[in-house]
Structure formats: structure tokens, C-alpha cells
Amino acid sequence: MKRLLPLLCVLSLISAFSFAQDMNATAGLIVPEDRIRSSNEGFAAEEFRRGVQAYYKGSFNEAIVQFEKALSYLPADNLILEWLGKAYYKSGMEGSALSYWQAAADNGYGGLLLQNKIEIVRERRVTGDSAAKLMRLSEAGSFYGENNGIQIFNGPTSVQTNTNGTIWVTAYSSNELLHINQNGMVIDRITGPVNGFDRPVDVIKLKDGKLLVSESAGNRLALLNKYGLFEKYIGERGTALGQLVGPQYLAQDSLERIYVSDFGNRRIDVFDKDGNALFFFGTKTQGFAGLKGPTGIVVAGDSIFVADSLSGCIYEFDTAGNFLRELVEKGTFIRPEALKLWEDVIIVCDQNRIISVDKDSGALFEYARTGNNPSRVMAAAPDVNGNVIAADFTANEIYIMSRVQELVGGLFVQLEEIDASKFPNVTLEVKVENRHRQPVVGLAQENFYLSENKRQVGNVKYLGSASNNTEADITIVIDRSNSNKLYKAEIEKAVKEIAESMSESSVLRVVSAGDIPITEYFGKPYGVKDFTLEALKGKLSAHAPIDLALRLSANDLINAAKKRAIILITDGSVGTGSFSKYTLAEIAAYLDNNSIDFSMIQVSQNSVSEEYDYLLKNTPGELYYIYRPEGLGFVVNDIVELPKGIYQLSYTSTMTTNFGEKYLPVEVEVYLLNRSGRDETGYFAPLQ
């Protein structure tokens, strides 16, 4: 934390200089108290105040109208230009937003802060940057096993990242499982059952939320609940089916089967989700010499990849255990350890190197090297914030590694909402992302610095993070194009299964995308338990405007729960009128800029259209097939598990309000390890 202080001082100086520029460049709305406003300034101020209030209510179209009225009175006012750009940005019209922001910046307004915002939003509009996947990683921070002579952990061997930004770390030498937050603080320390862990190597989070720990010296697996409390053992010492000798790394497939690299038995053991032994594979067969020293294991689709520390190779098997091929040649690695999947590549730890391997071609790329000091990186896993968390056993250290571009660019911070209805108590909603729209989760109060007019505020309280929410409001959009008329049973099945898997306190909406999008249902999920297509008012159409249906759905979700999503049920094809009113970029931006996830359930086996493929790639969410083996029960859970970098804080203001007519500035700085970001905006207290 100490290393951040010089950086924060520099940011504060830059921000103070930027604010001084803004005050000089803004004419009209912000005037010295000893000068009387002109009539145009007064009219503009009133329209501007209404626009700000509409903006914070989520009525962005209304806000645009109010800001444009204000701008008609004061065409050169930079504060109005900035807010008009913000309203267009939230409406998904990023091109218009950039033009207004650039106009203000050209007038000398906003300084480095506004220029950075313009740069990030422009960069985000260029998609498909595949080169970023193969960008080298640099250390963004580290957690040491010892601090001032006090041992925190000893011998880290594996990490399991969580959707809330925290990580679980197995400490082999101290026989512990530690729960650590983004700032390196130990939240919890688990020692296992009464007899303790016996040399834990790996930990994974199972699909039901429970934790599974491999105990190398104990020759068993320890099943823990999601809080780390011991439930039972799986396996015992031996060579028979279901028995283990020196188990190391773990993985689970989509059918919830558990795979264990059994180093002593030179094989992979497979258990069902309840811990019952199923079979083992990796022994000598025709065409395969057998595993010599199996270590890392990862599931990718229908393939199981296994690292062999003695042959320096990675082998591919199918889910039945049949050998398929060598992904890389023998001797490629010195001593490969854990394998983890990151996007579409496999992360391999090999002594002091972290390497990516293309799971299709076997092509290698060196992500990072820990240097020449004694090092043995045993596991490296991607976290929810786009970093890679690595455990170095020899150095007794946990590294947080980020792509160089992210370290240089910093964080993208946005003050989303301000509630001043109980002024002087003010509640803020802050959205924190990286430069590529990925949310930054796991922050705590110490990561935020709030100020008014560059003076620190008092009584700051951290109210919580949206990533911790366990419920989601969902809008189901039913494609009523003629091409979907053959899938009545599939559509009804999808609606009912989604509703059944939702929490009773969540809100469900159903929108039919016919000639005119119609909200068919609004209420609790159980209200559609008898859903039928015949009950819909929206009939089948030759030209269903999907874009209007998605906009309608998003409008209703802006003020819904912080975890919110649209699920489109369709055959995957689009007609001539499906996207005629709004472009795909505008729809994707509208969803992203308002933190609305987009998923799709396909009721046919046809290929997905390019339009839907674009939306799926540029918004959080997944594509599901109606008859996938796992069913649709996990769809809602997948939505709830999606990370949200949204935080709420409150503070007590010391500003004077001029009976609610004064524009009150507020600033927020966010810092995490050696990255930081900043935003500043304003609000109005209630009229008196």
C-alpha cells in the first residue's frame, strides 16, 4: 500500500490542475458567487438541473432532451456538453457521446481525465483485438508469505479464484487453505478437519459451490462446503479403483465428474460428483506408453488435457479416457505443473515460466518469467478481473500478473448514480472496469478515496458490492419471427425452466418480439409456471424487430436489480427487419453501459447468425442450446455468477446547497495494487 502513495499524490495534483482548468473553461452554469447570472444562464441552469435528476433516475432520453434545451441557451458551456455526452453514452450512442466530449475537450475543458475517457471509449469501440490474448504479463503486485517476521502462509501450491475477486490458496508446507482478498488480506484460514490437512496440493471450486482439496501425503481428497467447513473424504491409499497414491491436481467437467491426477499410481482417477469411483485412465494401452508423472489436468470441452512432469509433455484424452494425441512434443517442458484454461488457451506452469498453449494447435507463447531467483511456479489461474494469479512455492509468494496494456491504461472509473435525497447524507454508486469493459471486483473501502472540491469527505461507509448479490432480475425475449413457429414446445420449455430456477424474490419479465414488442408479463417467476405461447398478445411476424424488443427490455431493467440480464429465445436466424432501427454496436453499448447481460437460448440446431454472434461476443453472457445435456437449470446461476464491478458507498457532505439549486461536485479515486483510476461529476441536493 505504501508504494501507492506517490502515485496517488501525482493523481491528486493532476486532478487539481484539471479542475482548475475546468472552472476557467466553464462559463454560465458555474459562476463566481459575486456575479449575477444572465437570464440565459438561469434558464440553462434550470434545464441542466432537471437533466441531471433525470439522468440519475435512469431516464436517459429525457436527460438528453433537458441537456439539449440547456445547451440551446448556452451553446458553449462545457459542463453541459460533458453531461450531454454522458447521457448519450448511457443510451448506447457512443459516437454522439464522443463528439460532445471532444467538443468540450477542444475548448480546454476536462484536462487529462476527460482525454483519458475519450481514449478508452474510442478504443472499446474497436472489437476483436485477438493480439491482446498473447500479450506478455507483468507483475501488478504480490503477496508475501512472510511479513515483518510473521508467517502468513508457507509453500503455496495452488490458487482457486472466485467470482467476487477473492482467492483460495493451498499452503502445502503449513497445511492450510487460505481465503485472501484483492488487497492481500487473509479473510479466513482453514486447517481442515480435526486431524488437519496432510500436505494439500490443489483446490478447485465444484459446480455446486463446494471446495475440493487434494491431500498428497494423506492420499485422499477433502470435500469442504463453500465456507471451507469439512464434510467428508473421498478416496484412500491404494492402487485399486477409487484409491489414490499422492493425488495432486483436480478438475471437473460439465457433467460434474471429478478428475484427479494420481502421481503415485501414474494415472487419472475419475469420480462422480458424490465421490463414487467411476474409472481411471492414462495407463499403458495400445498406441500409448502410459503416463509417467501426471501433474496438471484441465477440462476443455470434450477433451481432458494432462501434463506429465517426467516426459515434459501434455497429452489429450477424451472424457472416456481414450488417448487422442500429444498436444506438444515430449521434452517441451522441464517440469510442467498445474494446467488452467484461460479464454481459449491452456496456462502451463513450468519452473519459473508461465506459458500459454493453444489447445488446438499446441502453439506456445511465454506469458511471463519470474526471473533468475530460485522459483517454482506451481499454479497460475485467471481471475475475474482479467489477471493471472500465480503461486510460487520456492519464493513463498503469490503474484498478481496483468497484461502490460492494462497496467499502463489503469482503471476506468465511473460515478453511475448519486442519491442525495437524504442530504447531507449522500450515497454513490461507482462502476470500476479495466480498459476492455471487464469489471473489477473484490474491492473494499480502502480501495476508494472520496472528495468534494478536492477535499476529502468524512464518514465514508462501504455499503457493498453488486458481485455479492445472489439474485438477478431477468427479461425473457421471445422471438416471434415466422421461423420460430416450429419450436413451440422448445420455447415453452425454456421459459418454464428459467422461471423455475429463479429466486422467488426476483422479478421476471416476458417480452414478445412480434411486429411491435409487447411486455407480456411482469412479476414473480412462479407466475409463468403454466406458460403457453397461445397466451401471448404478440403474434408471429415476417419482420420481427428484435432491436426494438431488446431496447424495450433494457429500458425496464435499468432500474432493476444490479444483477440483471436479457435472455433471448430464438432459432438463431434473423430477418430483414430484425435490426433496422438500431445498429448492433448501439445495442451492445446500451447493454454494456448499463450493466445488462445478454444470453441466448437457441431452440434449433442451425448455426447462429452473425448478428447474434456479434452481440454474444460483445456483451457478458452465454449461448445455450435448448437440449444441452446439463439442461437449463444452470442458466440463471451462470447469470448470477457473472462479475459486476459496481460498488455503493455513502458519506456526509459539507457543501452548501443554495436551497438545492447549487451544483455540488464530487470526486472518487480507486486504486488497486499499482493501478488506479478516477472520475468526477456532480449532483443537486433536494430543492428547499
Side-chain angles (χ1 to χ4, degrees):
M1 189 67 70
K2 292 181 180 179
R3 74 179 74 173
L4 295 174
L5 293 179
L7 175 61
L8 292 176
C9 293
V10 172
L11 285 173
S12 298
L13 289 173
I14 292 174
S15 301
F17 175 69
S18 173
F19 182 74
Q21 283 186 316
D22 297 349
M23 290 293 290
N24 293 330
T26 302
L29 293 182
I30 300 178
V31 298
E33 295 184 0
D34 59 351
R35 182 171 74 78
I36 300 175
R37 283 178 172 170
S38 67
S39 58
N40 278 354
E41 290 171 348
F43 292 140
E46 181 59 26
E47 300 295 348
F48 177 76
R49 184 178 63 82
R50 291 173 181 169
V52 171
Q53 292 174 330
Y55 179 92
Y56 286 136
K57 291 177 182 177
S59 302
F60 304 123
N61 291 337
E62 180 185 346
I64 289 171
V65 171
Q66 298 297 337
F67 292 140
E68 287 181 339
K69 286 181 179 179
L71 202 61
S72 68
Y73 292 109
L74 293 175
D77 193 280
N78 295 311
L79 187 60
I80 301 175
L81 288 172
E82 181 192 14
W83 272 91
L84 185 54
K86 290 173 64 172
Y88 272 113
Y89 176 80
K90 295 288 281 185
S91 295
M93 311 297 180
E94 293 184 339
S96 298
L98 287 169
S99 66
Y100 285 110
W101 287 337
Q102 190 61 58
D106 291 343
N107 293 334
Y109 175 84
L112 295 176
L113 187 61
L114 183 57
Q115 289 289 356
N116 186 58
K117 180 187 289 187
I118 292 171
E119 177 188 337
I120 290 175
V121 174
R122 279 180 177 163
E123 181 181 315
R124 285 177 166 188
R125 302 184 78 205
V126 180
T127 59
D129 184 12
S130 59
K133 295 180 180 180
L134 296 179
M135 182 176 292
R136 283 189 60 83
L137 301 174
S138 181
E139 185 179 329
S142 61
F143 308 144
Y144 299 98
E146 184 176 312
N147 186 13
N148 295 325
I150 300 174
Q151 180 179 295
I152 301 173
F153 54 80
N154 191 10
T157 53
S158 184
V159 293
Q160 167 63 50
T161 59
N162 301 314
T163 55
N164 63 0
T166 62
I167 58 173
W168 291 99
V169 177
T170 52
Y172 180 89
S173 301
S174 54
N175 290 316
E176 295 175 307
L177 177 66
L178 296 100
H179 195 194
I180 301 175
N181 71 8
Q182 281 280 341
N183 299 307
M185 296 179 61
V186 177
I187 303 171
D188 201 0
R189 191 182 298 271
I190 309 298
T191 57
V194 176
N195 55 326
F197 291 126
D198 196 353
R199 301 306 182 193
V201 173
D202 195 16
V203 56
I204 62 169
K205 186 177 182 180
L206 302 176
K207 290 188 179 299
D208 60 5
K210 295 181 180 180
L211 299 171
L212 189 65
V213 178
S214 62
E215 298 184 50
S216 179
N219 303 301
R220 64 200 176 199
L221 312 179
L223 181 66
L224 317 175
N225 69 12
K226 63 181 180 180
Y227 303 109
L229 298 178
F230 176 79
E231 289 193 355
K232 68 176 183 179
Y233 287 123
I234 296 174
E236 61 182 5
R237 178 180 175 82
T239 60
L241 177 65
Q243 295 182 328
L244 308 164
V245 177
Q248 295 203 353
Y249 294 97
L250 307 165
Q252 188 177 33
D253 66 13
S254 59
L255 298 178
E256 301 186 67
R257 293 179 296 194
I258 298 165
Y259 298 81
V260 185
S261 61
D262 189 339
F263 191 89
N265 285 321
R266 298 184 179 185
R267 69 192 187 193
I268 303 299
D269 296 289
V270 185
F271 299 85
D272 68 14
K273 63 180 181 180
D274 297 317
N276 300 309
L278 298 176
F279 61 95
F280 58 79
F281 64 89
T283 55
K284 184 178 181 179
T285 59
Q286 184 176 0
F288 179 55
L291 296 171
K292 305 301 181 184
T295 49
I297 183 169
V298 69
V299 178
D302 294 327
S303 294
I304 313 297
F305 294 93
V306 179
D308 194 307
S309 62
L310 298 183
S311 66
C313 184
I314 296 177
Y315 301 104
E316 182 178 359
F317 301 84
D318 63 21
T319 52
N322 299 307
F323 172 73
L324 298 179
R325 61 168 176 158
E326 293 180 356
L327 181 61
V328 297
E329 295 180 355
K330 293 183 177 69
T332 298
F333 303 105
I334 300 172
R335 189 177 181 180
E337 300 278 0
L339 303 182
K340 299 290 183 180
L341 198 64
W342 188 21
E343 297 169 343
D344 56 355
V345 300
I346 298 172
I347 302 177
V348 184
C349 294
D350 187 32
Q351 296 283 63
N352 67 336
R353 301 184 302 162
I354 300 174
I355 302 170
S356 80
V357 181
D358 188 284
K359 60 184 177 62
D360 297 318
S361 66
L364 305 180
F365 178 81
E366 186 176 291
Y367 273 136
R369 188 183 289 261
T370 59
N372 296 323
N373 290 330
S375 177
R376 184 184 173 189
V377 180
M378 296 190 64
D383 78 352
V384 69
N385 292 329
N387 305 314
V388 171
I389 314 297
D392 191 326
F393 179 83
T394 301
N396 196 29
E397 194 171 351
I398 303 294
Y399 307 119
I400 295 87
M401 296 186 169
S402 302
R403 291 172 173 137
V404 175
Q405 186 181 19
E406 296 297 336
L407 293 177
V408 174
L411 304 174
F412 186 47
V413 179
Q414 301 167 78
L415 278 162
E416 294 270 286
E417 295 181 14
I418 298 180
D419 180 7
S421 59
K422 298 180 180 180
F423 191 86
N425 295 321
V426 181
T427 301
L428 304 175
E429 186 173 287
V430 185
K431 186 176 182 179
V432 186
E433 300 173 312
N434 66 13
R435 297 178 69 90
H436 297 97
R437 292 192 193 275
Q438 291 177 309
V440 175
V441 305
L443 303 182
Q445 182 167 332
E446 57 262 35
N447 298 109
F448 295 87
Y449 177 87
L450 301 180
S451 60
E452 292 177 325
N453 266 341
K454 310 303 177 289
R455 291 188 293 270
Q456 185 176 3
V457 300
N459 196 30
V460 176
K461 296 180 180 178
Y462 177 84
L463 303 180
S465 167
S467 271
N468 296 329
N469 293 2
T470 58
E471 299 175 356
D473 287 353
I474 292 174
T475 296
I476 298 174
V477 178
I478 301 174
D479 185 355
R480 298 295 282 156
S481 302
N482 286 333
S483 59
N484 288 272
K485 64 183 178 182
L486 300 177
Y487 303 102
K488 177 180 182 297
E490 288 84 354
I491 294 173
E492 291 176 351
K493 166 184 166 65
V495 172
K496 291 176 182 178
E497 288 195 25
I498 292 169
E500 288 173 1
S501 58
M502 289 179 66
S503 166
E504 293 182 1
S505 57
S506 299
V507 175
L508 174 66
R509 296 172 176 83
V510 178
V511 172
S512 61
D515 282 327
I516 300 175
I518 300 173
T519 301
E520 304 278 0
Y521 177 79
F522 170 76
K524 297 301 179 184
Y526 61 78
V528 297
K529 58 183 174 57
D530 299 320
F531 172 80
T532 62
L533 284 179
E534 286 81 2
L536 296 180
K537 298 175 184 176
K539 304 305 179 184
L540 288 168
S541 170
H543 306 288
I546 301 298
D547 53 354
L548 295 181
L550 295 179
R551 291 284 300 196
L552 172 64
S553 303
N555 290 343
D556 292 337
L557 286 172
I558 286 174
N559 293 315
K562 296 307 174 186
K563 289 195 172 179
R564 52 218 186 190
I566 294 172
I567 301 176
L568 174 65
I569 303 176
T570 178
D571 67 338
S573 64
V574 297
T576 55
S578 296
F579 296 95
S580 59
K581 300 294 183 182
Y582 294 93
T583 67
L584 292 169
E586 289 172 344
I587 294 172
Y590 191 41
L591 299 178
D592 287 330
N593 297 344
N594 291 285
S595 303
I596 300 172
D597 305 321
F598 175 77
S599 292
M600 197 172 93
I601 296 176
Q602 189 174 7
V603 295
S604 75
Q605 292 183 325
N606 302 326
S607 58
V608 177
S609 69
E610 293 181 356
E611 290 84 350
Y612 290 139
D613 186 60
Y614 176 91
L615 290 178
L616 289 165
K617 286 181 178 178
N618 289 279
T619 58
E622 297 291 338
L623 171 65
Y624 303 92
Y625 175 55
I626 183 69
Y627 289 121
R628 68 181 193 143
E630 308 95 313
L632 300 177
F634 282 107
V635 173
V636 174
N637 183 69
D638 289 348
I639 291 171
V640 171
E641 289 292 314
L642 286 172
K644 293 289 182 184
I646 300 174
Y647 304 86
Q648 278 194 345
L649 300 100
S650 68
Y651 70 95
T652 302
S653 175
T654 59
M655 303 286 287
T656 58
T657 69
N658 192 24
F659 303 102
E661 294 184 354
K662 185 178 179 181
Y663 180 74
L664 306 177
V666 61
E667 307 88 37
V668 59
E669 288 183 27
V670 180
Y671 50 93
L672 175 63
L673 301 174
N674 61 355
R675 286 195 291 173
S676 64
R678 179 181 176 83
D679 192 22
E680 54 188 42
T681 187
Y683 64 96
F684 290 91
L687 289 172
Q688 297 178 2

